[in-house]
Amino acid sequence: MLKLNPKFTTSCTSKDCRPLITGCGRSGTHFIAEEIMANNIDVKHERIGSQGSVSWIYGVPHVASERTLETWFASEQDTLLRELPTSEFQFFPIVHVVRHPIKAIASLLTCFCGCGSMQCGGWADEPSWEWAGKHIAFSQKHCTVYRIDKNGQDRTPPLCISYGANERVGRLIRSMEYWVHWNEIIEPQAHYRAKMETYDLKELADTVGWELQGEVKQQEFTTKRNYPAETITWEDMKNADEELYEKVLELTSRYGYENSP
């Protein structure tokens, strides 16, 4: 696990400090949350447990104006914690989990949801993109249809729900934009970074201050998918948006992955 940002203090000064494991959605936070909980550590996925949280949505700072949508993902109690001043509550330390972009972006293209498929998690795909769009200015390239609120007004920011004849390319560009910018949002906040494919649970626990009892239960990272998944290539991303593709390559190299097309 790589230590980041040495400028950060080595101890938390808040009255209530809880570790946060976060990263881009579809990068393994669901898997890692289940592993941590299997070792009797009270964390929650997309929620806040007494010993911390594993959540992609908490990769961004709390904004009061987004309270309703944040509560939809989490709970009123969790959101109230996030609204406390940092002297009262703080995520500390923060671990940035990354996954190879070929896998992560393809998974986002399939479904931005916990189970990784529109067949079982399509209900979460749209709210997930809406939450991401509150923090990322998506280009909306190729978008033909935007979601309209019940009162007949456009969403702010716009929420694309169809790319017409360019459906796959439009969703791929949005997935690439999200993977790049969400990781960039997390990076300045993170104290450590771990690769989902090679992280060690015992090292992670020691780093954030969790005490594991007995034999550590850890499995090789895999997706529990029973539905067809999208696959992508470097060429697909380059053809979709060459400038964005170069940004993906830059982060791929920074995170220690092979980035040869």
Side-chain angles (χ1 to χ4, degrees), residues 154-167:
D154 292 336
R155 291 281 180 94
T156 304
L159 179 64
C160 185
I161 59 172
S162 177
Y163 297 91
N166 296 299
E167 186 69 25

Side-chain angles (χ1 to χ4, degrees), residues 24-35 45 54 97-105 107 114 194-201 217-225 257:
C24 174
R26 302 307 303 152
S27 290
T29 53
H30 201 165
F31 180 91
I32 197 171
E34 290 183 349
E35 287 216 319
H45 181 239
V54 183
V97 174
V98 295
R99 182 185 181 192
H100 195 290
I102 285 285
K103 296 293 186 181
I105 293 171
S107 191
K195 293 166 71 173
M196 192 63 225
E197 298 86 350
T198 58
Y199 90 99
D200 182 86
L201 184 55
K217 301 173 184 176
Q218 181 173 5
Q219 299 178 4
E220 182 179 355
F221 173 54
T222 181
T223 54
K224 301 175 182 178
R225 190 189 303 279
Y257 290 111

Side-chain angles (χ1 to χ4, degrees), residues 2-156:
L2 180 64
K3 185 174 182 179
L4 305 171
N5 298 322
K7 65 182 180 181
F8 282 129
T9 58
T10 55
S11 60
C12 182
T13 57
S14 176
K15 292 180 181 178
D16 186 351
C17 304
R18 306 187 203 185
L20 172 65
I21 315 299
T22 189
C24 174
R26 302 307 303 152
S27 290
T29 53
H30 201 165
F31 180 91
I32 197 171
E34 290 183 349
E35 287 216 319
I36 295 168
M37 290 186 285
N39 285 274
N40 300 311
I41 301 298
D42 183 28
V43 302
K44 288 183 171 59
H45 181 239
E46 316 296 27
R47 299 282 303 280
I48 304 174
S50 65
Q51 292 179 274
S53 176
V54 183
S55 172
W56 74 269
I57 67 170
Y58 294 150
V60 293
H62 174 75
V63 179
S65 62
E66 298 162 9
R67 193 175 195 280
T68 300
L69 186 56
E70 182 173 330
T71 303
W72 184 91
F73 280 104
S75 72
E76 185 77 15
Q77 182 179 0
D78 294 339
T79 304
L80 287 172
L81 269 178
R82 292 248 289 166
E83 290 177 346
L84 291 173
T86 54
S87 60
E88 297 293 324
F89 173 80
Q90 187 177 4
F91 282 129
F92 187 99
I94 296 174
V95 179
H96 180 196
V97 174
V98 295
R99 182 185 181 192
H100 195 290
I102 285 285
K103 296 293 186 181
I105 293 171
S107 191
L108 288 162
L109 179 61
T110 304
C111 181
F112 197 166
C113 53
C115 71
S117 170
M118 294 295 281
Q119 295 181 50
C120 57
W123 57 272
D125 184 75
E126 187 176 304
S128 296
W129 286 116
E130 183 175 6
W131 177 253
K134 296 287 187 181
H135 304 273
I136 297 171
F138 289 118
S139 66
Q140 310 291 355
K141 192 173 181 180
H142 300 304
C143 188
T144 58
V145 181
Y146 297 90
R147 170 67 69 212
I148 302 296
D149 283 335
K150 291 180 180 179
N151 63 5
Q153 300 299 311
D154 292 336
R155 291 281 180 94
T156 304

